[in-house]
């Protein structure tokens, strides 16, 4: 039986800690905004990890193009392909029973226009079984969002720092600083809401601006490096669990040291094999 902490003992309809066993939907996300309920989101890239998060009660999982950095060994998200997203999204769907699974549209899969976006989003829904898709961009992506929503595909938007534009940014700078930049971010958030997005990720945005956006939008904001006032928070799971090596972003809180745990386990296994302690009699067949 899954352990339920005191923090999880909320309304039966709560996204985190609720008692419903059916799939979370975008209607549930909208209802949580109306209740003022905060909720967590994590990335996932395989069935086993996704099943752990599903059992822990994580209501929304993003099969992000962050898989490029933390799963596939790329230097950025830019090289990630539709085939890779589709394959791993299907695995996450198979590994979950309750979570809403959101599949990322990778760089080059929607920038040509709404028709290209619809073709690739439809593929994620039909082949992988995701319940929604995510794409980056504010005003520049509004037409794509509008067509997808009109076609029956829920869309999560993503504004602020959009990692697929790393080459244009020349890095990963905080977005929305200064009056002009702040006004553009406000316009971007309003544009994706008007286009029909059910939620919007705010990445690397000053906390004060993210709070203003959260108050002004009727769709939920999902923060990552955007302060505490957002409706939800998302982290890349390998950052959250301490699997990432080297320096992690300032906004990341590591809740475990899984890299050390796995390393210790691998060394213990290796030493047992070299020393003849494994396999022992209880691990053998006769």
């Amino acid at each position: 039986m899954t352990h339920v902490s005191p923090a999880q003992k909320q309304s039966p309809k709560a996204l985190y800690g609720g008692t419903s066993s059916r799939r979370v939907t975008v209607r549930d996300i909208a209802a949580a905004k109306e209740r003022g309920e905060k909720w967590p989101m994590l990335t996932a890239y395989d069935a086993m990890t996704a099943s752990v998060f599903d059992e822990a009660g994580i209501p929304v999982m993003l099969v992000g193009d962050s898989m490029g950095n933390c799963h596939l060994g790329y230097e950025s998200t830019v090289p990630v392909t539709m085939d890779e997203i589709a394959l791993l999204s299907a695995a996450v769907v198979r590994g979950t029973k309750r979570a809403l699974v959101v599949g990322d549209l990778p760089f080059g899969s929607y920038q040509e226009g709404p028709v290209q976006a619809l073709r690739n989003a439809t593929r994620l829904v039909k082949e992988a079984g995701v319940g929604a898709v995510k794409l980056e961009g504010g005003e520049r992506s509004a037409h794509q969002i509008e067509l997808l929503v009109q076609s029956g595909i829920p869309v999560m938007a993503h504004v602020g720092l959009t990692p697929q534009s790393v080459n244009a940014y020349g890095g990963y700078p905080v977005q929305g600083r200064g009056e002009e930049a702040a006004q553009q971010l406000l316009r971007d958030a309003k544009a994706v809401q008007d286009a029909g997005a059910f939620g919007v990720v705010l990445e690397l945005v000053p906390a004060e601006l993210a709070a203003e956006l959260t108050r002004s939008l009727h769709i939920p904001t999902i923060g990552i490096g955007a302060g505490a006032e957002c409706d939800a928070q998302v982290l890349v799971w390998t950052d959250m669990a301490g699997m990432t090596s080297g320096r992690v972003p300032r906004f990341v809180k590591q809740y475990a040291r899984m890299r050390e745990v796995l390393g210790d386990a691998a060394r213990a296994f290796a030493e047992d094999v070299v020393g003849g302690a494994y396999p022992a009699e209880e691990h053998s067949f006769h």
Side-chain angles (χ1 to χ4, degrees), residues 8 20 41 43 70 76 84 99 103 109-110 115 117 160 163 166 174 187 206 215 219 226 275:
Q8 287 178 272
S20 173
M41 181 167 85
T43 65
C70 64
S76 72
E84 290 164 340
S109 67
Y110 60 94
V115 173
V166 60
V174 174
R187 289 193 295 270
R215 290 189 297 268
I219 61 174

Side-chain angles (χ1 to χ4, degrees), residues 110-271:
Y110 60 94
Q111 281 85 353
E112 288 181 14
V115 173
Q116 183 198 31
L118 179 59
R119 179 171 63 251
N120 286 313
T122 299
R123 180 182 175 189
L124 285 184
V125 173
K126 288 176 67 69
E127 292 183 17
V130 302
V133 301
K134 182 178 78 65
L135 55 79
E136 294 182 0
E139 290 181 322
R140 63 183 169 88
S141 297
H143 292 306
Q144 285 92 323
I145 294 171
E146 187 174 15
L147 179 59
L148 296 187
V149 174
Q150 289 176 350
S151 301
I153 301 176
V155 178
M156 178 181 287
H158 185 155
V159 301
L161 177 74
T162 47
Q164 292 174 10
S165 301
V166 60
N167 293 324
Y169 291 139
Y172 299 95
V174 174
Q175 301 294 300
R177 282 178 168 161
E179 182 63 26
E180 183 177 347
Q183 289 302 316
Q184 181 59 57
L185 196 52
L186 289 166
R187 289 193 295 270
D188 283 336
K190 183 68 162 50
V192 299
Q193 175 178 267
D194 292 346
F198 72 89
V200 57
V201 173
L202 306 179
E203 182 166 359
L204 280 186
V205 173
E208 299 81 3
L209 180 57
E212 181 181 349
L213 285 165
T214 301
R215 290 189 297 268
S216 63
L217 297 175
H218 62 73
I219 61 174
T221 57
I222 303 106
I224 179 166
E229 298 303 314
C230 294
D231 297 298
Q233 298 290 332
V234 60
L235 282 177
V236 171
W237 89 258
T238 50
D239 290 343
M240 178 277 299
M243 277 287 288
T244 305
S245 63
R247 182 177 176 272
V248 296
R250 173 180 173 179
F251 57 78
V252 170
K253 180 177 179 179
Q254 293 186 315
Y255 289 83
R257 296 181 180 237
M258 290 303 298
R259 192 176 185 88
E260 291 182 18
V261 171
L262 283 176
D264 289 345
R267 283 185 287 271
F269 164 69
E271 289 167 6

